[in-house]
Amino acid sequence: MGGGAGPGGHLTARPGGADPGAVVLATGARERSRAARFIAGSRVGGVYTTGALQQLVHLHGRRLEGRAVVVGVELVSWSAVLTLRQAGARPVLLTSTHARPEVYGPVHWGGRAALGVTVAGRTRVAAIHGSGQVSGVELVNLDTGARTVVPCELVVLTGDWVPDHELATSAALTADPVTRGPRVDAALRTSRPGVFAAGNLVHPVDTADIAALDGSHVAAAVRDWVTRGLGTAGRGEPVLAGAGLTWVSPGWLDRSAGVPARGRLLAWPSVAAPVARVVVHQGGLEVARRSLPWPASPGRVLRVPWSVLDSVIVGRGPVTVSLR
Amino acid sequence: MTAYDVVVVGAGAVGAATARALAGLELRVALVEARSDVGAGTSKANTAILHTGFDATPGSLEATLVRRGYELLGAYAAQTGIPVERTGALLVAWTQEQVDTLPALDAKAKANGYARCELLDAEAVYAAVPDLGPGALAGLAVPGESILCPWSVVLALATDAVTRGVDLLLGMKVREVTPGEPTTLHTSRGPLQARWVVNAAGLGSDLVDQAFGHQRFTVTPRRGELLVYDKAARPMVPVIVLPVPSTVGKGVLVSPTIYGNVVLGPTAEDRTDRADTATSEAGLAFLLDKGRALMPALLDHEVTAAYAGLRAATESSDYQVHLDAGQRYLCLGGIRSTGITASMAIAEHALELLAGAGLAAPARADLPPPPQVPNLGEAFLRPYAQPELIAADPAYGQVVCFCERVTAGEVRDALASTIPPADLDGLRRRTRVTMGRCQGFYCTGTVTALLEQAGPR
Ligand SMILES: Cc1cc2nc3c(=O)[nH]c(=O)nc-3n(C[C@H](O)[C@H](O)[C@H](O)COP(=O)(O)OP(=O)(O)OC[C@H]3O[C@@H](n4cnc5c(N)ncnc54)[C@H](O)[C@@H]3O)c2cc1C
Ligand SMILES: Cc1cc2nc3c(=O)[nH]c(=O)nc-3n(C[C@H](O)[C@H](O)[C@H](O)COP(=O)(O)OP(=O)(O)OC[C@H]3O[C@@H](n4cnc5c(N)ncnc54)[C@H](O)[C@@H]3O)c2cc1C
């Protein structure tokens, strides 16, 4: 079989240079670091991403003390709140640049139980102060420009996901223009035959159960490719995020790829809406519109029935999915 | 307590090089450092260029020592494994006024003994760096300018000093001085006696100088902020892209780093706090502005890190090298913006000055060979990519930090090395752990545990 995975590109496992028949990229997504968020100030201890925090606490039993400011109000932010409490620290504030993020508060991960923490919307973190250890964070009110310094000993930077696309990029896979993760079709095929991508690499970021569903979903396509040489590279009509959305996945519509796991298109809202009204355009024309009986909220994946794309005609140009 | 023959104050590039050089003679030498590690001051946070000295002020001590240091450190790097990449630099002129200064810069380079500069037209400039922003008019190529790993420079020099028998005294801050025969240094860990004292205290060099009773110069920390971009951006910056120097300073450059990233900076802002290496909103915004003009496509890439270093700026642009033969005291202060490059030449010059003042000692015949530092350079083989090494020692195949491909074997070696790291920061400078694009998202827990297992040091 050989596949397109080995020769011709840089997608090799070193050392030894295995030449697999198929490669599934499932490198996940990470939270942006402090520098990538342009948060100025002192280089101090006590600043973590949720990922780093949870390793320290859950895998290495680290105890933490003091007040914590959690940057972000996504599902994972509430997970950080719980971890902080468990480690002995006191989360005092969650900040978000969105207006009223608490309205679409947590439903999973026991987040409700963590309420009681103040949430500050329309707030940007400008700087972290301290010498040696954090002593406070400097916040800017996005509407008034007013600045305050909230004293704390810990800062947790949550959400703000970026797919770990180093391998995908080095293999020159076609990428989503926004996330830069590899673009896939409903069968999780990338632009290169024999190379597949699944999990948070292609939808930064959903919960673990959804990533696992991807895993079993991609297995069928991999089997067809490896055993029967069936299937090709992902292709078809690009499906792009329009107004109100940051990304959508899968990013290609190809009828031969079947439907995605659970028959759902995943999307990342950039605005909040109590009722998610999804509009589909192709070639400048509206081809479908659907009101979903659930809200859209930044920081949480919006699940859209794949059937909203039923009226799209492959060959008539790129498709845009937006939130109204 | 018996007196040391020489105590060197400050274990940055300059102090480490000087202690190492002194230990090549039959002398008892101590290297005293306030911090818990070597190279944790300005020597760790700079732009990491091995300068040819083409644009130094001709006739200055700096010009002489940078030129000599370029040769000495280049050769020492080859011996010890300090990674150096001979990328070359390209000075880019964006205004007619700048174009007009290029021939003068070429002449200045020649006056500094550097004759390899080459004037380029706009077409050649874009051929060399296609991703430059629009508007470049001409350029001056400086093929000798190179990039290196400044952490490995200090580590190699300090390790060499220690294996040559220097006592490295960390966590010891010199507070007051009683000059005499011997001189007593009053430190945070008690008194220390020395026949001769060398001041290589960087940002604190004026204070140590004052402790000897002098009022010769004042250090004003001049902050330089820098942004490090993702490795994916490195192919866009094959050479060091320098601005044309103006009266306001050296300006903002874009350079590849030895670790495979791209760095944009530095700013230049006079400050008062000698320890404050914070970044500022204004500084980062300024850099983004500059970057947008220099290379707009760079800004599409993720930022991996931001940092700031403090130059030991003084009233003079030249090095503050002063010998006081009567006090048996030598000041190597105010080494502002070229001290990594010049370090070994400063040390050589220091030995000559001290010999001239009466510090006589025979050269040692039994010197140990120079140390080998682990390679942190992206362009050279690292353990993860060496199957034979991994076969012999599987720890080199066990990746701890996958962004930077750091293996458990390298962490283990650093923890067991001659000058082991005191903390996570020190381990980062010796191995690159947690310094990649995820900044510890994946490996903070594991790395912290490895450090803790190693125990306090
Ligand atoms: C802090 C945090 C808390 C979370 N809490 C919850 C929760 O409570 N409940 C829930 O349902 N979901 C939670 N999630 C989400 C859940 O973890 C993810 O949905 C799930 O792990 C995604 O699986 P994945 O396989 O796509 O990627 P990951 O689980 O992220 O796996 C990616 C793997 O690829 C490896 N990798 C990346 N690049 C390379 C490379 N170049 N070479 C080799 N290896 C590489 C990484 O080390 C990693 O092991 C949380 C996520 C985070 C970050
Ligand atoms: C932004 C920036 C960019 C630069 N770029 C370059 C470049 O590209 N190439 C180049 O060659 N150079 C560059 N430099 C300059 C270079 O970094 C410095 O010249 C060099 O690091 C100075 O070394 P040092 O040993 O004198 O000082 P330091 O490295 O600061 O060492 C001095 C040491 O003395 C210790 N100390 C101070 N006071 C006491 C005391 N009282 N008791 C005990 N210990 C004390 C400090 O803790 C410190 O470790 C740059 C500098 C900056 C800031």
Side-chain angles (χ1 to χ4, degrees), chain B residues 235-399:
Chain B
M236 299 193 334
V237 190
V239 300
I240 305 160
V241 178
L242 298 172
V244 175
S246 73
T247 43
V248 210
K250 281 200 179 185
V252 171
L253 58 82
V254 185
S255 172
T257 76
I258 198 83
Y259 320 111
N261 299 76
V262 170
V263 71
L264 170 68
T267 60
E269 184 198 353
D270 283 345
R271 310 277 298 167
T272 49
D273 187 338
R274 295 161 191 250
D276 183 9
T277 51
T279 53
S280 68
E281 283 179 80
L284 298 182
F286 172 84
L287 290 180
L288 289 179
D289 244 31
K290 287 283 182 191
R292 209 165 282 126
L294 268 169
M295 193 175 279
L298 179 63
L299 272 67
D300 294 338
H301 286 273
E302 291 284 326
V303 166
T304 298
Y307 65 94
L310 298 171
R311 307 170 186 86
T314 66
E315 295 83 348
S316 158
S317 69
D318 210 352
Y319 296 170
Q320 294 298 307
V321 173
H322 304 282
L323 175 72
D324 188 325
Q327 286 186 330
R328 292 185 315 286
Y329 161 65
L330 175 65
C331 174
L332 306 173
I335 317 290
R336 189 179 68 189
S337 30
T338 47
I340 299 293
T341 306
S343 53
M344 294 185 78
I346 296 172
E348 189 181 69
H349 183 56
L351 256 61
E352 286 163 16
L353 290 173
L354 290 168
L359 175 62
R364 275 176 56 187
D366 56 341
L367 281 182
Q372 285 297 311
V373 289
N375 167 40
L376 302 187
E378 190 82 343
F380 311 99
L381 269 189
R382 307 243 330 277
Y384 77 87
Q386 298 180 52
E388 336 72 59
L389 193 64
I390 297 168
D393 184 346
Y396 293 120
Q398 195 189 328
V399 172

Side-chain angles (χ1 to χ4, degrees), chain B residues 9-16 32-35 37-51 154 172-175 200-205 207-208 222-226 266-267 307-312 319 332-342:
Chain B
V9 182
V14 174
V32 176
E33 168 56 50
R35 297 176 205 253
D37 197 0
V38 300
T42 301
S43 295
K44 80 170 180 191
N46 46 64
T47 34
I49 296 171
L50 181 62
H51 290 298
V154 183
M172 185 183 266
K173 181 169 182 147
V174 174
R175 294 208 171 115
L203 292 162
S205 54
L207 303 179
V208 172
R222 184 168 299 162
R223 178 164 70 182
E225 297 178 55
L226 298 114
T267 60
Y307 65 94
L310 298 171
R311 307 170 186 86
Y319 296 170
L332 306 173
I335 317 290
R336 189 179 68 189
S337 30
T338 47
I340 299 293
T341 306

Side-chain angles (χ1 to χ4, degrees), chain A residues 32 41 43 55 62 147 164, chain B residues 279 281 302 441-442 452:
Chain A
R32 277 204 173 74
R43 277 165 84 89
Q55 283 178 48
R62 171 65 65 95
R147 287 180 179 246
D164 255 299
Chain B
T279 53
E281 283 179 80
E302 291 284 326
F441 175 86
Y442 287 110
E452 277 166 8

Side-chain angles (χ1 to χ4, degrees), chain A residues 49-74:
Chain A
T49 50
T50 319
L53 172 81
Q54 294 192 334
Q55 283 178 48
L56 282 170
V57 173
H58 297 315
L59 298 182
H60 298 281
R62 171 65 65 95
R63 300 289 301 163
L64 296 168
E65 278 173 17
R67 295 157 296 183
V69 169
V70 175
V71 180
V73 189
E74 299 188 9

Side-chain angles (χ1 to χ4, degrees), chain B residues 159-184:
Chain B
T159 303
D160 208 349
V162 170
T163 50
R164 286 178 172 195
V166 169
D167 283 349
L168 175 63
L169 305 172
L170 296 170
M172 185 183 266
K173 181 169 182 147
V174 174
R175 294 208 171 115
E176 277 167 62
V177 177
T178 312
E181 294 189 36
T183 292
T184 303

Side-chain angles (χ1 to χ4, degrees), chain A residues 26-28 50-51 54 76 79 109 161 166-167 199-200 206-208 211, chain B residues 402 441-442:
Chain A
T27 47
T50 319
Q54 294 192 334
V76 68
S79 176
W109 303 0
W161 301 96
E166 180 185 17
L167 294 177
N200 282 342
D206 209 336
T207 49
Chain B
F402 69 76
F441 175 86
Y442 287 110

